[in-house]
Amino acid sequence: MTTSELVRRLRESGDLRSPEWERAMHEAPRHLFVPDRAWCTPDGAGAPFAIDRSADPERWREAAYADAAIVTQVDDGAGDPASGKGAWTSSLSAPGAVVSFLELLAPRDHDRVLEIGTGTGWTAALLSSRLGARRVTSVEVDERVAERAAANLREAGFAPDLVVGDGEKGVPAWAPFDRVHVTCGVTVLPPSWIEQTRPGGVLLFPWMPSFGDGHKARLTVTGDGRAIGRFHGSADYMMLRSQRSPGFGDLARDGEDSRTRLDPRTVAGDSSGAGIAIAGMLPDVLGDERIVRGRPSLVLVDEAGTSWARCSYRVGADDFPVVQGGERRLWDEVDAAYLRWVGWGSPGRDRFGLVAGPEGQRVWFDRPSNVI
């Protein structure tokens, strides 16, 4: 497998469109950023598998040029990524995901870019190839990950400015930036990123709301301390460490029983637009599909930990059992939010956007003034 073959596949898929990024991929070969041992997770099809350069160099090389994410760290460095066990905490993202984000970032030749999350260093290398290393600053919170990235970049012949620190704070000493490119999931946009981007500059990040799937968010910074923009396609990334989910707690606890005619599978999987609308109306409600007491269920909990709910699936059922507890009735709130979205005509992702600034962060529908 080679860079040329990977480029061809990405062009065929539509992820790669610009000759500038094609040249960058040739100048920053991906295999230079793949560790000797890791865990490969094919994008869309195929079972995950371990890679070991010394034991099977051919399979390692194939993984390096596959459209697959490669997990490079688990449990914040406490585990062995090649074991396939533990929580994924750093990775080399799939090439299709990387390139589609860079195409959407669309930096101009003179732009200065701040990257949040250096990871293996591959994206920093691609940006350095495209813009010149002196226009690229990359910050990584994990010191060991940062050290490995610096070594990878040296071997590849690139020397962007590398900072070890909390990416949520950005790099104020080197601001302002024209583009901020984020390689980790974000639920709430940190104000520091807006402050460190010049008016007219772009913030690009995976918006990972508490409810539903993730989305590419491209926001433009205004002159009044805000950032406004739309969603563009799906995104699934590891979270910014300071914004990791608090979890769901005891999923099987007892509460108030009721029933609903609304199929929870419809709420959970109807449309990306439904997920955005629910997340916008209920930003503090976490939702996910889990197995509870042997039944697949949509489980809900609020971030304050005061309320929770679950609605279980039953094949062929006329209605579905609901269990709710705490100060709020979360299933009732999600039910109402979903049906409100239906009442708008079930709009898709491209009808929604995000506005963030001193007043906080809100989802909007059709126009920024129409927050939900």
Side-chain angles (χ1 to χ4, degrees), residues 171-195:
V171 186
W174 296 346
F177 299 96
D178 301 286
R179 297 286 192 272
V180 175
H181 179 263
V182 184
T183 68
C184 51
V186 178
T187 302
V188 178
L189 185 68
S192 60
W193 298 353
I194 301 175
E195 295 164 2

mmCIF file of all heavy atoms in Angstrom, residues 171-195:
data_model
loop_
_atom_site.group_PDB
_atom_site.id
_atom_site.type_symbol
_atom_site.label_atom_id
_atom_site.label_comp_id
_atom_site.label_asym_id
_atom_site.label_seq_id
_atom_site.Cartn_x
_atom_site.Cartn_y
_atom_site.Cartn_z
ATOM 1 N N VAL A 171 -3.553 28.899 22.826
ATOM 2 C CA VAL A 171 -2.178 29.398 22.989
ATOM 3 C C VAL A 171 -2.235 30.914 22.882
ATOM 4 O O VAL A 171 -1.928 31.500 21.829
ATOM 5 C CB VAL A 171 -1.230 28.791 21.933
ATOM 6 C CG1 VAL A 171 0.212 29.212 22.209
ATOM 7 C CG2 VAL A 171 -1.319 27.264 21.923
ATOM 8 N N PRO A 172 -2.662 31.599 23.941
ATOM 9 C CA PRO A 172 -2.882 33.052 23.860
ATOM 10 C C PRO A 172 -1.633 33.843 23.503
ATOM 11 O O PRO A 172 -1.734 34.898 22.868
ATOM 12 C CB PRO A 172 -3.394 33.409 25.262
ATOM 13 C CG PRO A 172 -2.975 32.272 26.140
ATOM 14 C CD PRO A 172 -2.989 31.058 25.268
ATOM 15 N N ALA A 173 -0.457 33.349 23.886
ATOM 16 C CA ALA A 173 0.772 34.098 23.625
ATOM 17 C C ALA A 173 1.044 34.248 22.132
ATOM 18 O O ALA A 173 1.746 35.186 21.729
ATOM 19 C CB ALA A 173 1.951 33.414 24.309
ATOM 20 N N TRP A 174 0.518 33.333 21.314
ATOM 21 C CA TRP A 174 0.795 33.363 19.881
ATOM 22 C C TRP A 174 -0.418 33.753 19.046
ATOM 23 O O TRP A 174 -0.387 33.646 17.821
ATOM 24 C CB TRP A 174 1.361 32.015 19.428
ATOM 25 C CG TRP A 174 2.681 31.711 20.065
ATOM 26 C CD1 TRP A 174 3.489 32.582 20.735
ATOM 27 C CD2 TRP A 174 3.342 30.445 20.111
ATOM 28 N NE1 TRP A 174 4.616 31.953 21.194
ATOM 29 C CE2 TRP A 174 4.560 30.620 20.833
ATOM 30 C CE3 TRP A 174 3.059 29.180 19.634
ATOM 31 C CZ2 TRP A 174 5.459 29.593 21.075
ATOM 32 C CZ3 TRP A 174 3.953 28.142 19.870
ATOM 33 C CH2 TRP A 174 5.146 28.351 20.578
ATOM 34 N N ALA A 175 -1.477 34.184 19.700
ATOM 35 C CA ALA A 175 -2.665 34.634 18.986
ATOM 36 C C ALA A 175 -2.403 36.035 18.395
ATOM 37 O O ALA A 175 -1.480 36.730 18.828
ATOM 38 C CB ALA A 175 -3.845 34.670 19.948
ATOM 39 N N PRO A 176 -3.207 36.469 17.397
ATOM 40 C CA PRO A 176 -4.408 35.803 16.893
ATOM 41 C C PRO A 176 -4.101 34.819 15.764
ATOM 42 O O PRO A 176 -3.070 34.923 15.097
ATOM 43 C CB PRO A 176 -5.245 36.969 16.374
ATOM 44 C CG PRO A 176 -4.208 37.941 15.871
ATOM 45 C CD PRO A 176 -3.061 37.829 16.827
ATOM 46 N N PHE A 177 -5.042 33.884 15.577
ATOM 47 C CA PHE A 177 -4.945 32.900 14.508
ATOM 48 C C PHE A 177 -6.053 33.150 13.481
ATOM 49 O O PHE A 177 -7.095 33.727 13.798
ATOM 50 C CB PHE A 177 -5.081 31.495 15.082
ATOM 51 C CG PHE A 177 -3.994 31.148 16.075
ATOM 52 C CD1 PHE A 177 -4.205 31.296 17.437
ATOM 53 C CD2 PHE A 177 -2.760 30.686 15.647
ATOM 54 C CE1 PHE A 177 -3.216 30.995 18.358
ATOM 55 C CE2 PHE A 177 -1.751 30.383 16.553
ATOM 56 C CZ PHE A 177 -1.986 30.539 17.915
ATOM 57 N N ASP A 178 -5.800 32.685 12.255
ATOM 58 C CA ASP A 178 -6.799 32.802 11.193
ATOM 59 C C ASP A 178 -7.710 31.580 11.123
ATOM 60 O O ASP A 178 -8.851 31.669 10.654
ATOM 61 C CB ASP A 178 -6.103 32.968 9.838
ATOM 62 C CG ASP A 178 -5.208 34.177 9.807
ATOM 63 O OD1 ASP A 178 -5.739 35.301 9.742
ATOM 64 O OD2 ASP A 178 -3.975 34.002 9.885
ATOM 65 N N ARG A 179 -7.198 30.454 11.562
ATOM 66 C CA ARG A 179 -7.959 29.209 11.585
ATOM 67 C C ARG A 179 -7.633 28.469 12.875
ATOM 68 O O ARG A 179 -6.478 28.438 13.312
ATOM 69 C CB ARG A 179 -7.598 28.295 10.396
ATOM 70 C CG ARG A 179 -7.913 28.843 9.000
ATOM 71 C CD ARG A 179 -9.406 28.784 8.744
ATOM 72 N NE ARG A 179 -9.742 29.027 7.354
ATOM 73 C CZ ARG A 179 -9.952 30.232 6.829
ATOM 74 N NH1 ARG A 179 -9.818 31.319 7.590
ATOM 75 N NH2 ARG A 179 -10.295 30.351 5.559
ATOM 76 N N VAL A 180 -8.663 27.865 13.486
ATOM 77 C CA VAL A 180 -8.469 26.949 14.608
ATOM 78 C C VAL A 180 -9.040 25.605 14.184
ATOM 79 O O VAL A 180 -10.226 25.499 13.852
ATOM 80 C CB VAL A 180 -9.146 27.452 15.889
ATOM 81 C CG1 VAL A 180 -9.026 26.414 17.000
ATOM 82 C CG2 VAL A 180 -8.533 28.770 16.341
ATOM 83 N N HIS A 181 -8.182 24.609 14.160
ATOM 84 C CA HIS A 181 -8.552 23.263 13.703
ATOM 85 C C HIS A 181 -8.489 22.322 14.903
ATOM 86 O O HIS A 181 -7.431 22.155 15.511
ATOM 87 C CB HIS A 181 -7.576 22.812 12.609
ATOM 88 C CG HIS A 181 -7.848 21.441 12.088
ATOM 89 N ND1 HIS A 181 -7.179 20.329 12.554
ATOM 90 C CD2 HIS A 181 -8.712 21.005 11.149
ATOM 91 C CE1 HIS A 181 -7.624 19.260 11.904
ATOM 92 N NE2 HIS A 181 -8.550 19.650 11.048
ATOM 93 N N VAL A 182 -9.617 21.713 15.245
ATOM 94 C CA VAL A 182 -9.742 20.923 16.467
ATOM 95 C C VAL A 182 -9.868 19.446 16.116
ATOM 96 O O VAL A 182 -10.714 19.067 15.297
ATOM 97 C CB VAL A 182 -10.955 21.388 17.292
ATOM 98 C CG1 VAL A 182 -11.024 20.636 18.618
ATOM 99 C CG2 VAL A 182 -10.894 22.895 17.538
ATOM 100 N N THR A 183 -9.039 18.608 16.747
ATOM 101 C CA THR A 183 -9.019 17.179 16.426
ATOM 102 C C THR A 183 -9.599 16.323 17.543
ATOM 103 O O THR A 183 -9.361 15.125 17.581
ATOM 104 C CB THR A 183 -7.584 16.711 16.111
ATOM 105 O OG1 THR A 183 -6.798 16.782 17.311
ATOM 106 C CG2 THR A 183 -6.952 17.555 15.027
ATOM 107 N N CYS A 184 -10.378 16.935 18.437
ATOM 108 C CA CYS A 184 -11.049 16.184 19.499
ATOM 109 C C CYS A 184 -12.479 16.698 19.620
ATOM 110 O O CYS A 184 -12.788 17.822 19.218
ATOM 111 C CB CYS A 184 -10.309 16.333 20.827
ATOM 112 S SG CYS A 184 -9.965 18.037 21.305
ATOM 113 N N GLY A 185 -13.354 15.862 20.172
ATOM 114 C CA GLY A 185 -14.742 16.239 20.289
ATOM 115 C C GLY A 185 -14.965 17.345 21.308
ATOM 116 O O GLY A 185 -14.321 17.390 22.350
ATOM 117 N N VAL A 186 -15.905 18.243 20.998
ATOM 118 C CA VAL A 186 -16.224 19.386 21.857
ATOM 119 C C VAL A 186 -17.743 19.475 22.001
ATOM 120 O O VAL A 186 -18.462 19.452 21.001
ATOM 121 C CB VAL A 186 -15.692 20.703 21.257
ATOM 122 C CG1 VAL A 186 -16.079 21.880 22.126
ATOM 123 C CG2 VAL A 186 -14.185 20.637 21.068
ATOM 124 N N THR A 187 -18.218 19.555 23.238
ATOM 125 C CA THR A 187 -19.640 19.783 23.480
ATOM 126 C C THR A 187 -19.935 21.272 23.583
ATOM 127 O O THR A 187 -20.896 21.771 23.001
ATOM 128 C CB THR A 187 -20.095 19.059 24.755
ATOM 129 O OG1 THR A 187 -19.832 17.657 24.628
ATOM 130 C CG2 THR A 187 -21.586 19.257 24.998
ATOM 131 N N VAL A 188 -19.108 21.991 24.342
ATOM 132 C CA VAL A 188 -19.261 23.439 24.506
ATOM 133 C C VAL A 188 -17.987 24.113 24.011
ATOM 134 O O VAL A 188 -16.885 23.819 24.489
ATOM 135 C CB VAL A 188 -19.519 23.809 25.978
ATOM 136 C CG1 VAL A 188 -19.634 25.316 26.124
ATOM 137 C CG2 VAL A 188 -20.783 23.130 26.487
ATOM 138 N N LEU A 189 -18.131 25.019 23.053
ATOM 139 C CA LEU A 189 -16.976 25.706 22.463
ATOM 140 C C LEU A 189 -16.306 26.590 23.510
ATOM 141 O O LEU A 189 -16.941 27.497 24.060
ATOM 142 C CB LEU A 189 -17.429 26.543 21.277
ATOM 143 C CG LEU A 189 -16.331 27.231 20.474
ATOM 144 C CD1 LEU A 189 -15.487 26.212 19.746
ATOM 145 C CD2 LEU A 189 -16.938 28.225 19.496
ATOM 146 N N PRO A 190 -15.021 26.368 23.813
ATOM 147 C CA PRO A 190 -14.337 27.224 24.801
ATOM 148 C C PRO A 190 -14.231 28.670 24.318
ATOM 149 O O PRO A 190 -13.840 28.917 23.174
ATOM 150 C CB PRO A 190 -12.945 26.582 24.908
ATOM 151 C CG PRO A 190 -13.141 25.159 24.478
ATOM 152 C CD PRO A 190 -14.179 25.237 23.388
ATOM 153 N N PRO A 191 -14.558 29.635 25.156
ATOM 154 C CA PRO A 191 -14.454 31.047 24.756
ATOM 155 C C PRO A 191 -13.045 31.449 24.317
ATOM 156 O O PRO A 191 -12.889 32.342 23.479
ATOM 157 C CB PRO A 191 -14.874 31.799 26.025
ATOM 158 C CG PRO A 191 -15.707 30.831 26.801
ATOM 159 C CD PRO A 191 -15.125 29.483 26.514
ATOM 160 N N SER A 192 -12.027 30.789 24.871
ATOM 161 C CA SER A 192 -10.648 31.152 24.527
ATOM 162 C C SER A 192 -10.370 30.970 23.041
ATOM 163 O O SER A 192 -9.578 31.726 22.455
ATOM 164 C CB SER A 192 -9.667 30.318 25.348
ATOM 165 O OG SER A 192 -9.842 28.930 25.091
ATOM 166 N N TRP A 193 -10.996 29.995 22.405
ATOM 167 C CA TRP A 193 -10.752 29.779 20.980
ATOM 168 C C TRP A 193 -11.324 30.926 20.151
ATOM 169 O O TRP A 193 -10.731 31.324 19.144
ATOM 170 C CB TRP A 193 -11.343 28.441 20.533
ATOM 171 C CG TRP A 193 -10.742 27.256 21.221
ATOM 172 C CD1 TRP A 193 -9.667 27.250 22.070
ATOM 173 C CD2 TRP A 193 -11.181 25.907 21.135
ATOM 174 N NE1 TRP A 193 -9.408 25.979 22.520
ATOM 175 C CE2 TRP A 193 -10.325 25.125 21.965
ATOM 176 C CE3 TRP A 193 -12.212 25.262 20.462
ATOM 177 C CZ2 TRP A 193 -10.476 23.752 22.119
ATOM 178 C CZ3 TRP A 193 -12.371 23.891 20.604
ATOM 179 C CH2 TRP A 193 -11.502 23.148 21.426
ATOM 180 N N ILE A 194 -12.476 31.420 20.566
ATOM 181 C CA ILE A 194 -13.050 32.576 19.872
ATOM 182 C C ILE A 194 -12.161 33.793 20.072
ATOM 183 O O ILE A 194 -11.847 34.529 19.122
ATOM 184 C CB ILE A 194 -14.473 32.863 20.383
ATOM 185 C CG1 ILE A 194 -15.391 31.644 20.170
ATOM 186 C CG2 ILE A 194 -15.053 34.097 19.689
ATOM 187 C CD1 ILE A 194 -16.774 31.806 20.758
ATOM 188 N N GLU A 195 -11.733 34.009 21.310
ATOM 189 C CA GLU A 195 -10.909 35.169 21.637
ATOM 190 C C GLU A 195 -9.584 35.170 20.887
ATOM 191 O O GLU A 195 -9.046 36.239 20.564
ATOM 192 C CB GLU A 195 -10.645 35.196 23.145
ATOM 193 C CG GLU A 195 -11.902 35.412 23.980
ATOM 194 C CD GLU A 195 -11.696 35.045 25.440
ATOM 195 O OE1 GLU A 195 -10.553 34.656 25.795
ATOM 196 O OE2 GLU A 195 -12.659 35.136 26.218
#
